[in-house]
Amino acid sequence: QVQLQESGPDLVKPSQTLTLMCTVSGASITANYYYWTWQRRSPGKGLEWMGAIASDGSTFYSPSLRSRTFISRDTSSNQFSLQLSSVTPDDTAVYYCAARINLHDYDDENDRWGPGTQVTVSS
């Protein structure tokens, strides 16, 4: 069914922009069923929802990150991306893309997650 795979750098220097890509197969990112989302997990912080792009291209961002976050998509390649600017060591985390039925309120049995990718911010 739906499968997702994150890709991007494992190491980013402070002040740079982190760019991650999520490649989707098994469903079109334009299909009116899922929100296409980014979230991250770091020790002691739990899972932090970052933002999403909907099937019509509408974007949604966490208030705490929206000034630094940009989510976009390439429908021709069925991919969506995350850009996080001005990164600091506090942005070190495992980053996940996910197809979610709900924007961020609840998990759903039909949600599908990528395996995650570790990103370290360090000079």
Side-chain angles (χ1 to χ4, degrees), residues 4-76:
L4 302 91
Q5 178 66 61
E6 304 90 349
S7 60
D10 58 280
L11 181 65
V12 183
K13 294 181 178 180
S15 82
Q16 293 186 337
T17 295
L18 168 66
T19 300
L20 296 174
M21 186 71 65
C22 184
T23 300
V24 178
S25 62
S28 172
I29 61 173
T30 64
N32 187 25
Y33 191 69
Y34 290 115
Y35 294 100
W36 307 96
T37 70
W38 287 99
Q39 42 271 301
R40 64 184 183 181
R41 182 181 295 277
S42 59
K45 297 181 181 179
L47 191 68
E48 180 181 26
W49 182 84
M50 302 181 70
I53 187 163
S55 60
D56 66 354
S58 301
T59 52
F60 308 86
Y61 299 104
S62 168
S64 64
L65 294 169
R66 67 187 307 158
S67 66
R68 298 195 292 132
T69 305
F70 179 67
I71 296 172
S72 60
R73 67 181 184 175
D74 185 339
T75 58
S76 66

Side-chain angles (χ1 to χ4, degrees), residues 47-118:
L47 191 68
E48 180 181 26
W49 182 84
M50 302 181 70
I53 187 163
S55 60
D56 66 354
S58 301
T59 52
F60 308 86
Y61 299 104
S62 168
S64 64
L65 294 169
R66 67 187 307 158
S67 66
R68 298 195 292 132
T69 305
F70 179 67
I71 296 172
S72 60
R73 67 181 184 175
D74 185 339
T75 58
S76 66
S77 60
N78 212 41
Q79 297 174 309
F80 66 102
S81 65
L82 170 73
Q83 291 181 274
L84 183 66
S85 64
S86 303
V87 298
T88 75
D90 285 342
D91 294 311
T92 295
V94 178
Y95 287 75
Y96 300 90
C97 60
R100 299 183 63 130
I101 301 299
N102 303 293
L103 185 57
H104 59 66
D105 287 349
Y106 306 102
D107 293 333
D108 189 275
E109 64 181 356
N110 292 311
D111 291 349
R112 288 289 182 268
W113 291 63
T117 184
Q118 172 70 49

